[in-house]
């Protein structure tokens, strides 16, 4: 018979198969045809969180990008019209730091010497380079997006939309310039915001000095305060010492510290008695130092570390700064933006904070002010971008007040459905506790803040658009090639208050402004008319062809039906979008959110390039295959970290072989079977068709809940039923070319492939092209989603219970070390009435001659005390109760047990049902099975026959014989007694003749 289906190899080469499918998709324009097919259908709005185009994509990025593609493919199969716009984050510290590394620049001074315009050009080039790299990686992962029309957040259009937002918050009175202590990165030379630094990944266990230092009291000669610090560089900026008013302090050997209960002191005083005393600080002789210091009260003084007396330097700590405001303390800022000591600090001038340590320690020691010096390892903040340990500086930054929007933000979050649900509370917690939004960065390649303060009249001019800028500009428009530094810096404007010329502040904006505005800038919010390529402006011109839509388009696609990013984005992208949307529109920009945790290596360690365990996405894809990666991501519960690696990938490949082998089985038998009508279906066929409809319903529900772990689990359970029940139970029918069995199997495979296609698009597409009928679409993604049809629930329940009995029977066999090919005489089943109609299946699956249903009397109970429960209850009597239980001296009563005069409930004992001698027993879920393990000669001979059949079929496979090839079998003389079952053996191995040979020691086969 001519071959009708493409043959499959024994195992798939995932990488090669995927490259072939990618090429076919491109050649056939499958994605474009899909978009055209769904155009005009019901809309499903998804907004892609922008990936930073500054490095290749790692496997940690690929988790989220897989999940996005899974649900976009699912919705496409359901006929939804979608936008498919990918996003790239393009500016800010992400890009700047990498460009600095590439250029060998190590400071802001060196950037300025290099030239801001040239630096901006290198930043754009890096974005362009890695946007292309990431696009190639995404395509290889199987992600379908409108790759020629990406949004780039450094486009002039995106910047203009942010300007409009900033002008709005200014008009509402939320924008202000703050003078405060802030976390500062000395390498990047800028302050950082609360939401950038809030994650655990932005802290490390670092070692610092641990110094106990004397501050001599002015009013009490011979007495000193002892303070503790881990930041020696802040000591020259000391202005006060804080004590807890209601705490007790003790004086011993002339030193005041927190009093420890039970220890002796020369004098004990409450902290409030020390308040107001004056002292001399260690570096009062330095020109920049404050000359007068006093003790102040502070209720927040820690009593668990240090001395209970806190050194206060308002110019070098956030809490210190706020305390200084309360007590009107002077502010001494000791370091510049690169973290080096400023002029006025003597020998310390020009030293970095780490270089200061040894100088300060030695100086204190020489002047006998150092009580103790050591080292301490503690949790310390590091820069989220470059990982440099942070410092605290008092600087002027620009802020948006959060308080006016807080309640509206909380209200908006109640309208969002979060997956997993508890992330909603995480967002609530963030919104309740967030501080004001620090939006300014003292950097170069970023959003230029459109703030033009007037030094004459004091008015803050905020520009809301490029048109307004051009209207008010007094110079520089001729050189304004894009809205970035240095070009924007050369465009002064006229002050609205006094008509004087004013210039823009040099700061750029927080990068989360760039990403937070995209629900407005990419969809054309309040844009009067559609502008072709109107989004691809400024720095993004030539990189994208994205249009700027109009207001009517925005109304169709806003808010997003669904978005997805990692859990960290609660305080980052999810937050910035929510804040900007509530400000501009009074509602959330998204309706549903799927968040997920982090990717670790397969041992559970964090992935880092420095430790050598980070994996680039393209490397993993080529080694394990994109489908395998997608499977790993999809089966992972999003609320738990994913341990990614080649070991887990190997296991997934092994599991996917069950599907591959099932399709191969069909192809191999269909290609040698005669054509014919399917005829009437058998009960097993009706079961499989019901089972596939059950799977369709389960998976559809999981997709609708955006929960891929249930999709994967449901599919694997279905494939197990299909392979290990339907195919195995129908093997004889396939050998006989049964058309009904073949058509049933093909139908089930095709329907299940459509359902799992969003998770593993390559393998599903490949197998679909092998199996599809002539009237079905060429691509699985051009077909429609299968709606779950009617199913025989009674039959599903019967087979489900029958399979459970079989599983228990195999457990019982394994427990008694009885091989599966050893026939047994009898099986007794209790508690499985639905399986009574499937006696033949039970008999064949468990290789038993007889099946009985009824009470299993071949077991005995073994009851042990549940010690954690019974121990406290029985006390000394526990021993006698335990002995009685071991001896079997108990009665069952009222759902529990009566033993040694005590009534024990079911939760107070541990019950085990074991088989009596001669029986193998297993029990679970209310079902008990018992196998009679006694063997006789007939059973032992049958075991030998089955072993022989297994051996001969293995030899057929090793010899590479086709399914239809007939063989001649030669048996050793010692196996001649098995010829009693000659016809059985022939039928099972396709033998035309069986001979015996006295000289042979093992069976031989030859092609007939």
């Amino acid at each position: 018979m001519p071959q009708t289906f493409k043959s499959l190899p024994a195992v798939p080469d995932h990488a090669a198969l995927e490259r072939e499918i990618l090429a076919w998709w491109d050649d056939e324009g499958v994605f474009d045809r899909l978009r055209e097919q769904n155009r005009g259908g019901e809309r499903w709005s998804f907004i892609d969180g922008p990936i930073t185009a500054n490095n290749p994509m790692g496997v940690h990025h690929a988790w989220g990008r897989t999940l996005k593609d899974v649900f976009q493919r699912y919705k496409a199969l359901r006929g939804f019209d979608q936008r498919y716009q990918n996003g790239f984050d393009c500016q800010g510290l992400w890009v700047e730091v990498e460009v600095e590394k590439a250029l060998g620049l190590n400071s802001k001074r060196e950037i300025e010497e290099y030239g801001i315009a040239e630096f901006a050009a290198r930043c754009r080039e890096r974005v362009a380079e890695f946007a292309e790299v990431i696009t190639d990686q995404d395509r290889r992962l199987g992600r379908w997006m409108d790759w020629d029309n990406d949004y780039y957040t450094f486009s002039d259009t995106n910047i203009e939309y942010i300007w409009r937002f900033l002008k709005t918050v200014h008009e509402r009175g939320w924008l202000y310039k703050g003078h405060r202590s802030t976390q500062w990165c000395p390498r990047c030379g800028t302050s950082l915001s609360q939401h950038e630094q809030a994650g655990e990944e932005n802290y490390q266990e670092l070692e610092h000095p641990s110094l106990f230092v004397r501050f001599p009291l002015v009013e009490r000669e011979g007495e000193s305060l002892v303070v503790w610090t881990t930041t020696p560089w802040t000591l020259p900026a000391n202005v006060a010492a804080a004590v807890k008013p209601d705490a007790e302090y003790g004086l011993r050997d002339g030193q005041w510290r927190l009093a420890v209960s039970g220890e002796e002191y020369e004098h004990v005083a409450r902290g409030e008695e020390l308040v107001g005393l004056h002292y001399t600080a260690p570096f009062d002789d330095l020109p920049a130092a404050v000359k007068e210091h006093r003790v102040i009260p502070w209720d927040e003084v820690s009593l668990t570390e240090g001395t209970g007396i806190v050194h206060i330097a308002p110019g070098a700590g956030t809490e210190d700064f706020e305390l200084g405001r309360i007590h009107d303390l002077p502010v001494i800022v000791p370091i510049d933006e690169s973290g080096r000591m400023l002029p006025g600090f003597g020998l310390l001038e020009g030293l970095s904070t780490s270089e200061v340590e040894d100088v300060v320690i030695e100086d204190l020691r020489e002047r006998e002010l150092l009580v103790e010096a050591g080292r301490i390892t503690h949790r310390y903040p590091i820069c989220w971008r470059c990982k440099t340990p942070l410092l605290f500086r008092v600087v002027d930054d620009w802020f948006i007040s959060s308080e006016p929007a807080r309640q509206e933000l909380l209200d908006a979050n109640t309208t969002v459905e979060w997956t997993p649900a508890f992330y909603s509370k995480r967002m609530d917690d963030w919104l309740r506790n967030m501080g004001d939004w620090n939006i300014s960065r003292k950097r170069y390649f970023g959003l230029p803040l459109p703030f033009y303060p007037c030094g004459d009249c004091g008015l803050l001019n905020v520009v809301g658009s490029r048109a307004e800028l051009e209207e008010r500009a007094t110079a520089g428009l001729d050189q304004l090639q894009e809205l970035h530094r240095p070009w924007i810096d050369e465009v002064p404007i006229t002050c609205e208050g006094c008509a004087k010329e004013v210039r823009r502040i040099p700061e750029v904006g927080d990068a989360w402004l760039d990403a937070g505005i995209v629900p407005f800038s990419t969809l054309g919010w309040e844009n009067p008319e559609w502008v072709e390529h109107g989004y691809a402006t400024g720095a993004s011109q030539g990189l994208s062809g994205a249009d700027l839509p109009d207001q009517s388009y925005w109304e169709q696609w806003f808010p997003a039906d669904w978005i997805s990013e990692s859990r960290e984005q609660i305080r980052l992208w999810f937050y910035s979008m929510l804040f900007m949307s509530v400000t501009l529109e009074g509602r959330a920009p998204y309706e549903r959110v799927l968040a997920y945790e982090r990717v670790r290596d397969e041992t559970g360690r964090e992935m880092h390039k420095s430790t050598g365990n980070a994996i680039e996405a393209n490397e993993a894809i080529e080694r394990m295959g994109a489908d395998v990666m997608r499977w790993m991501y999809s089966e992972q519960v999003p609320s738990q970290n994913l341990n990614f690696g080649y070991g887990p990938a190997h296991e997934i490949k092994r599991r996917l072989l069950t599907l591959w082998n099932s399709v191969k089985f069909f192809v191999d038998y269909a290609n040698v079977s005669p054509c014919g009508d399917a005829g009437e279906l058998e009960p097993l066929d009706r079961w499989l068709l019901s089972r596939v409809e059950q799977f369709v319903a389960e998976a559809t529900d999981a997709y609708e809940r955006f929960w891929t772990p249930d999709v994967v689990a449901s599919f694997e359970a279905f494939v197990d039923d299909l392979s290990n029940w339907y195919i195995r139970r129908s093997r004889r029918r396939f050998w006989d070319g049964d058309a009904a069995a073949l058509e049933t199997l093909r139908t089930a495979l095709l329907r299940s492939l459509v359902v799992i296609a969003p998770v593993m698009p390559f393998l599903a597409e490949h197998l679909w092209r092998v199996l599809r009928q002539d009237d079905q679409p060429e691509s699985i993604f051009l077909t429609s989603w299968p709606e779950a049809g009617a199913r025989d629930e009674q039959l599903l329940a019967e087979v489900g219970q029958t399979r459970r009995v079989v599983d228990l029977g195999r457990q019982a066999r394994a427990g008694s070390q009885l091989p599966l090919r050893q026939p047994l005489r009898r099986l007794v089943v209790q508690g499985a009435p639905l399986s009574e109609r499937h006696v033949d299946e039970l008999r064949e699956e468990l290789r038993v001659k007889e099946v009985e249903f009824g009470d299993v009397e071949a077991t005995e109970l073994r009851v042990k005390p549940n010690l954690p429960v019974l121990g406290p209850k029985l006390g000394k009597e526990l021993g006698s109760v335990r002995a009685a239980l071991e001896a079997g001296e108990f009665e069952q009563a009222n759902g529990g047990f009566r033993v040694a005069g005590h009534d024990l409930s079911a939760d107070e004992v541990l019950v085990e049902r074991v088989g009596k001698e001669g029986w193998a027993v297993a029990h679970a879920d209310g079902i008990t099975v018992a196998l009679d393990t006694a063997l006789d000669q007939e059973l032992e001979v049958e075991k030998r026959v089955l072993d022989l059949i297994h051996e001969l079929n293995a030899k057929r496979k090793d010899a590479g014989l086709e399914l239809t090839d007939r063989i001649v079998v030669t048996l050793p003389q010692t196996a001649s007694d098995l010829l009693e079952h000659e016809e059985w053996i022939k039928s099972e191995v396709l033998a035309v003749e069986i001979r015996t040979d006295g000289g042979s020691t093992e069976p031989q086969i030859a092609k007939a």
Side-chain angles (χ1 to χ4, degrees):
M1 176 183 177
Q3 180 171 299
T4 56
F5 296 96
K6 179 182 177 181
S7 296
L8 296 176
V11 294
D13 181 340
H14 285 277
L17 177 155
E18 289 163 4
R19 287 192 291 269
E20 177 187 330
I21 292 296
L22 282 170
W24 184 77
W25 280 342
D26 286 344
D27 292 344
E28 298 298 321
V30 174
F31 178 50
D32 292 336
R33 290 161 63 186
L34 171 67
R35 295 192 70 186
E36 187 59 36
Q37 178 175 294
N38 289 343
R39 200 176 308 281
E42 184 179 351
R43 284 180 291 274
W44 189 68
S45 179
F46 162 72
I47 295 177
D48 183 42
I51 186 172
T52 306
N54 71 334
N55 274 309
M57 184 169 71
V59 295
H60 59 293
H61 297 107
W63 187 0
R65 297 177 88 72
T66 291
L67 293 177
K68 294 173 187 180
D69 189 67
V70 166
F71 291 107
Q72 285 185 281
R73 285 180 181 270
Y74 165 68
K75 291 295 184 178
L77 282 165
R78 302 218 67 154
F80 285 87
D81 192 2
Q82 300 178 58
R83 295 180 60 248
Y84 294 102
Q85 188 175 33
N86 174 73
F88 289 114
D89 245 333
C90 309
Q91 54 192 16
L93 282 176
W94 285 294
V95 179
E96 286 195 72
V97 170
E98 294 301 323
V99 172
E100 286 180 73
K101 291 178 184 177
L103 295 175
L105 305 178
N106 295 305
S107 68
K108 291 170 67 173
R109 177 182 57 79
E110 291 182 3
I111 292 174
E112 292 175 6
E113 290 174 353
Y114 181 80
I116 297 176
E118 286 298 311
F119 185 72
R122 301 295 85 73
C123 288
R124 184 186 184 278
E125 289 169 3
R126 186 175 185 90
V127 168
E129 175 189 355
F130 285 103
E132 186 174 345
V133 169
I134 292 169
T135 297
D136 289 343
Q137 291 178 306
D138 256 330
R139 288 176 182 270
R140 182 62 186 84
L141 185 64
R143 195 163 182 235
W144 272 351
M145 296 296 274
D146 186 5
W147 295 112
D148 295 328
N149 295 298
D150 310 294
Y151 72 81
Y152 288 76
T153 59
F154 60 13
S155 81
D156 281 3
T157 302
N158 205 64
I159 289 171
E160 282 194 76
Y161 267 93
I162 302 169
W163 281 6
R164 183 168 177 184
F165 163 77
L166 293 172
K167 184 157 189 166
T168 299
V169 297
H170 174 56
E171 290 168 349
R172 294 186 184 182
W174 299 0
L175 180 69
Y176 69 94
K177 185 178 183 179
H179 182 72
R180 60 175 64 177
S181 179
T182 184
Q183 287 185 322
W184 185 272
C185 176
R187 199 221 69 85
C188 297
T190 187
S191 56
L192 302 169
S193 65
Q194 179 188 7
H195 60 259
E196 286 175 312
Q197 286 299 132
E200 280 298 316
E201 69 276 13
N202 298 323
Y203 287 83
Q204 283 183 0
E205 292 294 316
L206 298 180
E207 186 179 84
H208 286 116
S210 173
L211 306 185
F212 293 83
V213 182
R214 286 197 309 112
F215 286 2
L217 289 170
V218 174
E219 295 90 346
R220 300 185 179 183
E221 187 175 350
E223 296 182 11
S224 299
L225 306 175
V226 177
V227 301
W228 174 64
T229 184
T230 60
T231 53
W233 63 272
T234 65
L235 286 172
N238 173 267
V239 299
V243 295
K244 189 174 179 63
D246 57 355
E248 288 194 337
Y249 293 82
L251 176 67
R252 185 165 57 199
D253 298 329
Q255 298 177 5
W256 284 97
R257 300 173 182 245
L258 184 69
V260 177
S261 178
E263 294 193 9
E264 294 184 1
Y265 296 93
E266 299 161 19
H267 184 65
V268 175
R270 287 168 60 86
E272 60 191 3
E273 298 177 48
L274 301 178
V275 171
L277 293 177
H278 294 81
Y279 63 88
T280 58
F283 298 98
D284 286 355
D285 59 323
L286 298 179
V290 170
K291 310 307 179 188
E292 184 175 320
H293 312 269
R294 59 190 170 94
V295 180
I296 61 173
W298 188 26
D299 290 333
E300 301 303 316
V301 169
S302 172
L303 303 182
T304 60
E305 60 181 4
T307 65
I309 305 174
V310 180
H311 141 61
I312 303 298
T318 301
E319 291 178 322
D320 301 41
F321 182 80
E322 296 303 321
L323 198 60
R325 284 182 169 181
I326 296 171
H327 293 281
D328 195 25
L329 301 176
V331 177
I332 305 299
V333 178
I335 56 174
D336 64 15
E337 65 175 25
S338 64
R340 294 188 173 274
M341 299 296 285
L342 288 164
F345 289 96
L347 291 176
L348 305 179
E349 181 180 328
L351 298 181
S352 69
T353 54
S354 58
E355 292 169 341
V356 163
E357 293 174 3
D358 289 341
V359 178
V360 167
I361 291 171
E362 187 57 34
D363 182 75
L364 293 174
R365 183 177 284 116
E366 286 181 2
R367 293 189 285 137
E368 298 183 349
L369 294 175
L370 184 63
V371 178
E372 181 182 338
R375 305 291 293 180
I376 184 173
T377 300
H378 57 167
R379 182 173 172 269
Y380 195 84
I382 57 173
C383 175
W384 65 269
R385 180 61 248 170
C386 70
K387 307 308 178 187
T388 299
L390 298 183
L391 306 173
F392 286 87
R393 290 187 76 223
V394 175
V395 294
D396 292 335
D397 279 321
W398 291 88
F399 294 85
I400 298 174
S401 177
S402 299
E403 198 56 44
R406 194 180 305 277
Q407 189 55 52
E408 199 171 355
L409 290 167
L410 287 164
D411 292 343
N413 190 44
T414 64
T415 69
V416 179
E417 184 176 338
W418 289 80
T419 305
F422 66 83
Y423 285 134
S424 177
K425 184 178 183 302
R426 292 273 185 95
M427 175 60 94
D428 274 348
D429 290 344
W430 172 255
L431 295 175
R432 287 192 175 93
N433 296 291
M434 66 186 181
D436 292 345
W437 187 352
N438 182 340
I439 61 168
S440 61
R441 303 290 180 271
K442 293 172 172 43
R443 293 294 301 185
Y444 305 99
F445 191 68
L447 160 79
L449 293 175
F451 304 158
Y452 296 75
C454 181
D456 289 326
C457 71
L459 180 70
L460 175 62
N461 296 269
V462 178
V463 173
S465 68
R466 181 168 186 145
E468 181 184 349
L469 177 72
E470 293 175 352
E471 181 183 342
R472 297 173 61 183
T474 59
L477 290 178
D478 56 335
Q479 56 83 57
L480 186 61
Q481 65 184 54
E482 62 187 62
L483 298 181
H484 281 106
R485 300 186 69 188
W487 306 283
I488 189 68
D489 297 340
E490 301 306 317
V491 184
I493 66 171
T494 301
C495 176
E496 285 184 321
C498 65
K500 294 288 182 65
E501 183 178 88
V502 290
R503 304 191 74 87
R504 194 190 74 84
I505 63 171
E507 285 90 341
V508 297
D510 177 13
W512 292 106
L513 291 167
D514 302 335
I517 201 64
V518 295
F520 297 89
S521 62
T522 61
L523 300 178
W525 178 66
E526 295 195 353
N527 188 44
E529 59 184 36
W530 194 290
V531 181
E532 187 176 5
H533 309 313
Y535 187 91
T537 54
S540 72
Q541 190 171 5
L543 299 179
S544 170
D547 296 341
L548 175 61
D550 55 22
Q551 173 67 15
S552 64
Y553 184 87
W554 179 85
E555 291 172 357
Q556 292 174 346
W557 294 95
F558 182 94
D561 292 296
W562 181 80
I563 61 172
S564 179
E565 294 293 340
S566 67
R567 182 255 304 163
E568 285 89 350
Q569 300 303 322
I570 287 173
R571 58 181 169 80
L572 298 169
W573 189 53
F574 299 154
Y575 165 65
S576 62
M577 276 201 299
L578 186 67
F579 194 108
M580 298 174 90
S581 181
V582 164
T583 299
L584 296 175
E585 272 292 313
R587 55 178 168 149
Y590 40 77
E591 294 183 347
R592 299 190 70 166
V593 179
L594 171 63
Y596 49 89
E597 287 297 321
R598 298 179 181 174
V599 175
R600 301 285 194 252
D601 71 12
E602 60 186 277
T603 67
R605 295 183 306 157
E606 289 191 24
M607 283 188 172
H608 293 293
K609 290 181 181 178
S610 59
T611 56
N613 64 344
I615 305 174
E616 282 192 13
N618 48 299
E619 174 197 330
I621 291 171
E622 287 306 312
R623 283 189 59 182
M624 66 177 64
D627 276 335
V628 173
M629 279 180 67
R630 293 170 68 107
W631 197 268
M632 195 182 308
Y633 296 133
S634 296
E635 74 174 346
Q636 179 66 23
V637 173
S639 59
Q640 299 172 4
N641 289 335
L642 166 62
N643 291 349
F644 184 98
Y646 297 107
H650 179 76
E651 172 61 18
I652 290 170
K653 284 184 178 181
R654 186 192 63 78
R655 282 152 46 199
L656 290 178
L657 272 178
T658 305
L659 171 66
W660 180 269
N661 289 338
S662 298
V663 177
K664 177 174 171 53
F665 180 91
F666 168 82
V667 168
D668 290 347
Y669 280 94
N671 283 339
V672 297
S673 298
C675 298
D677 295 333
E680 187 174 349
L681 298 180
E682 293 193 7
L684 198 57
D685 303 328
R686 290 189 291 104
W687 169 77
L688 182 61
L689 295 177
S690 287
R691 183 66 183 87
V692 76
E693 298 309 317
Q694 184 183 46
F695 165 59
V696 170
E698 290 172 352
T700 301
D701 173 70
Y703 279 119
E704 289 296 319
R705 291 184 286 110
F706 298 96
W707 199 249
T708 53
D710 283 357
V711 175
V712 171
S714 180
F715 179 76
E716 290 191 333
F718 167 74
V719 172
D720 179 65
D721 279 346
L722 178 141
S723 173
N724 293 319
W725 194 255
Y726 182 78
I727 290 178
R728 201 159 47 76
R729 295 290 313 146
S730 305
R731 194 173 292 270
R732 173 62 64 184
R733 295 172 65 199
F734 289 117
W735 285 351
D736 294 340
D738 188 308
L742 287 165
E743 190 57 34
T744 296
L745 179 56
R746 184 186 190 188
T747 298
L749 286 168
L750 285 169
R751 286 179 73 77
S752 65
L753 284 173
V754 176
V755 175
I756 203 60
V759 173
M760 53 172 201
F762 297 103
L763 192 58
E765 182 77 278
H766 180 78
L767 297 178
W768 171 269
R769 293 176 66 199
V770 170
L771 294 174
R772 77 178 184 88
Q773 298 172 352
D774 291 340
D775 60 350
Q776 291 180 308
E778 295 173 85
S779 170
I780 196 169
F781 295 103
L782 296 178
T783 191
S784 56
W785 187 257
E787 297 298 331
R791 52 188 184 267
D792 188 332
E793 297 289 358
Q794 175 66 24
L795 183 57
L796 286 170
E798 288 177 7
V799 175
Q801 193 171 88
T802 300
R803 289 213 65 188
R804 190 72 184 102
V805 171
V806 170
D807 288 342
L808 288 171
R810 289 175 179 157
Q811 287 179 30
R813 274 182 171 274
S816 295
Q817 298 183 331
L818 287 169
L820 290 175
R821 286 196 293 273
Q822 174 60 67
L824 298 174
R825 186 63 59 190
R826 187 158 60 117
L827 166 71
V828 182
V829 181
Q830 178 180 325
L834 297 179
S835 65
E836 291 187 24
R837 295 178 58 184
H838 300 270
V839 171
D840 288 343
E841 290 100 311
L842 293 176
R843 188 162 39 235
E844 293 171 12
E845 288 294 316
L846 293 175
R847 297 199 195 282
V848 294
K849 302 297 183 181
E850 305 167 15
V851 178
E852 300 175 12
F853 289 89
D855 292 340
V856 172
E857 298 177 353
T859 64
E860 57 186 14
L861 287 180
R862 290 182 183 172
V863 184
K864 300 178 181 179
N866 187 347
L867 296 178
V869 177
L870 275 186
K873 174 181 177 180
L874 298 181
K876 295 180 179 180
E877 297 183 53
L878 177 62
S880 61
V881 169
R882 174 189 281 178
L885 289 173
E886 289 177 354
E889 298 170 355
F890 57 82
E891 298 176 6
Q892 292 182 257
N894 301 320
F897 297 87
R898 180 168 296 160
V899 55
H902 295 277
D903 290 322
L904 307 182
S905 62
D907 64 339
E908 293 175 328
V909 293
L910 304 175
V911 180
E912 181 183 10
R913 189 179 296 272
V914 297
K916 294 180 179 178
E917 187 175 352
W919 291 86
V921 176
H923 174 85
D925 306 322
I927 300 174
T928 303
V929 300
L931 288 164
D932 183 351
T933 60
L935 300 179
D936 53 34
Q937 185 176 358
E938 178 188 359
L939 296 176
E940 290 172 345
V941 169
E942 287 187 17
K943 161 69 162 52
R944 291 173 59 212
V945 171
L946 291 168
D947 286 341
L948 175 63
I949 291 170
H950 178 76
E951 183 179 2
L952 294 176
N953 279 325
K955 287 180 179 293
R956 285 182 59 98
K957 183 176 181 180
D958 293 342
L961 297 180
E962 299 293 334
L963 288 173
T964 54
D965 288 340
R966 265 46 181 177
I967 61 173
V968 174
V969 175
T970 302
L971 297 180
Q973 190 65 40
T974 54
S976 60
D977 60 325
L978 300 185
L979 292 177
E980 175 186 352
H981 301 282
E982 181 175 0
E983 295 306 315
W984 177 17
I985 298 170
K986 283 181 178 179
S987 66
E988 292 291 338
V989 302
L990 296 184
V992 295
E993 181 183 358
I994 300 180
R995 308 168 180 166
T996 58
D997 180 359
S1000 175
T1001 59
E1002 63 176 37
Q1004 304 292 330
I1005 67 169
K1007 186 175 178 180

